[in-house]
Amino acid sequence: MPELPEVETVRLDLIKHLIGAQIDVVKIIDLKNITPSAIFLLDFLPGQEISSVRRKGKLLIIDLKNSDYHLLFHLKMTGQLIFTNKKIKIAGGHSLDEGSSYKAVGGELPNKHTRAYFLFTNGARLFFNDLRKFAYIKLVNRDELTEILLNNYGPEPLTPEFNLPYFKSILKNRKRVIKALILDQKLIAGLGNIYADESLFLAGIKPWKEGKALKSIEVEKLIVAINELIAEAIKYRGTTFRNYVDAEGKKGNFTTFLKVYGREGQACFNCGAKILKIKLVGRGTHYCANCQK
DNA sequence: GTGTTTGTTATCAA
DNA sequence: CTTGATAACAAACA
């Protein structure tokens, strides 16, 4: 599941290669979550130059030079953005021979999960893969982007806006369980199911505790846990639990540092008790009954 | 065939 | 208006 650290890893990979790159050809293979229409994008994008790659929470934002437009990518659960500048022989002009490809995690590219791809004038290629068809590509103008960011995304971990007074303000008087609150992108942008479970374990808090029931010391522990966890996960290039890969097709290295997610039935690293798993707010939820109060 | 996986949104309720 | 709870979606896999 690409959460903030995984999308950030993809972003850091992409800026190494895509800044200044000019789009040559766009191929849309099978993508229903694309706006405006695929036909419009096929016409609009060629010739556009990429000026920067940004991110808000799990949303990747590609800015186009001398343009009021921004290309948004959301990977949802199984989306991948895989870049390559390996040279391959392309028969006759610009278009990539569908049969030609090179090896990457998940098979040759393009493969059966490739929903769209971009060819750049310098020979680089960017593949948009998605096993399920949840992920989206969206082209928006500046005002639409501002509105999207304002309406859907709160402050991110590791930013000045995500401070203790803010965190306390969004938890007090809240009846929702703490896991639901920290998963809410409007309150904190970037946490998904893995890092929500992990941060609550690190802070020693039961996932189903009501927001308003958290003691001051618990709120302090949790904000530290979230920030440290996200920083470490970025440092290790994210977590691959199912099919996440970075923009070079490589897996994340933080997986081995997980304390509770995916460890049901195994011994807690802290106390040795069995890690338990329940369903909470519709999500698989992992915790240690002994360490989380 | 059944249940499970999760990010996000729609819908409904209070 | 705010807040919260839940279903729905997608496709593969055990």
Side-chain angles (χ1 to χ4, degrees):
Chain A
M1 287 61 68
E3 305 178 26
L4 190 157
E6 290 75 39
V7 181
E8 176 66 4
T9 300
V10 170
R11 187 186 77 86
L12 293 172
D13 285 347
L14 291 183
I15 58 175
K16 285 190 291 189
H17 304 290
L18 289 188
I19 304 301
Q22 188 181 36
I23 298 172
D24 188 8
V25 177
V26 178
K27 288 265 189 182
I28 312 285
I29 298 166
D30 179 11
L31 194 57
K32 61 174 196 174
N33 291 319
I34 186 164
T35 50
S37 70
I39 291 171
F40 178 81
L41 290 187
L42 294 181
D43 187 53
F44 175 85
L45 289 175
Q48 297 287 336
E49 191 176 315
I50 291 172
S51 59
S52 51
V53 184
R54 293 183 286 152
R55 182 188 55 71
K56 180 76 182 194
K58 307 166 193 173
L59 183 70
L60 194 74
I61 305 164
I62 292 187
D63 303 307
L64 303 173
K65 192 176 179 182
N66 301 325
S67 170
D68 192 28
Y69 285 89
H70 309 266
L71 206 48
L72 309 183
F73 292 87
H74 201 302
L75 303 178
K76 292 289 180 86
M77 290 177 60
T78 55
Q80 304 174 327
L81 269 174
I82 305 174
F83 170 90
T84 177
N85 54 10
K86 282 185 183 166
K87 294 285 187 287
I88 60 164
K89 291 188 176 170
I90 300 173
H94 293 304
S95 64
L96 177 71
D97 178 357
E98 301 284 341
S100 307
S101 52
Y102 79 108
K103 292 288 184 185
V105 173
E108 299 182 340
L109 290 171
N111 62 34
K112 63 176 177 175
H113 299 312
T114 301
R115 309 301 177 195
Y117 58 80
F118 303 81
L119 308 182
F120 295 89
T121 54
N122 63 4
R125 285 165 293 146
L126 182 64
F127 293 90
F128 185 67
N129 277 26
D130 188 25
L131 184 148
R132 309 187 191 173
K133 298 169 185 174
F134 257 26
Y136 68 70
I137 300 177
K138 193 180 285 190
L139 183 72
V140 298
N141 65 31
R142 191 166 47 128
D143 291 342
E144 289 168 328
L145 177 59
T146 303
E147 196 182 329
I148 287 170
L149 296 181
L150 197 67
N151 291 339
N152 300 295
Y153 298 92
E156 294 192 356
L158 302 172
T159 63
E161 293 75 28
F162 185 59
N163 51 44
L164 192 56
Y166 172 78
F167 199 33
K168 282 184 173 171
S169 77
I170 62 171
L171 299 186
K172 73 169 187 179
N173 301 330
R174 293 299 194 120
K175 201 172 162 53
R176 292 169 83 188
V177 299
I178 185 63
K179 173 159 176 175
L181 291 166
I182 61 175
L183 277 174
D184 190 334
Q185 304 299 299
K186 293 182 174 70
L187 302 179
I188 309 167
L191 297 192
N193 206 33
I194 296 175
Y195 297 114
D197 281 2
E198 291 296 314
S199 61
L200 288 168
F201 172 80
L202 291 177
I205 300 167
K206 287 184 301 196
W208 57 90
K209 194 161 188 169
E210 288 181 359
K212 63 182 182 183
L214 263 70
K215 299 191 176 81
S216 189
I217 181 73
E218 291 178 316
V219 180
E220 289 168 30
K221 275 187 184 173
L222 186 53
I223 194 170
V224 170
I226 289 172
N227 282 328
E228 289 185 353
L229 178 67
I230 295 299
E232 282 294 291
I234 292 172
K235 184 174 146 191
Y236 285 95
R237 303 184 58 79
T239 301
T240 295
F241 197 80
R242 288 201 164 73
N243 70 342
Y244 161 77
V245 292
D246 64 25
E248 293 169 359
K250 295 183 300 201
K251 294 180 177 182
N253 304 310
F254 194 70
T255 319
T256 54
F257 294 91
L258 298 179
K259 304 284 199 294
V260 288
Y261 188 89
R263 297 197 64 246
E264 62 269 27
Q266 299 178 45
C268 171
F269 293 130
N270 257 359
C271 73
K274 273 191 177 175
I275 299 299
L276 303 178
K277 181 181 180 185
I278 58 168
K279 195 137 211 165
L280 186 68
V281 294
R283 298 291 173 253
T285 299
H286 313 71
Y287 67 100
C288 173
N290 195 37
C291 296
Q292 292 172 258
K293 303 295 182 186

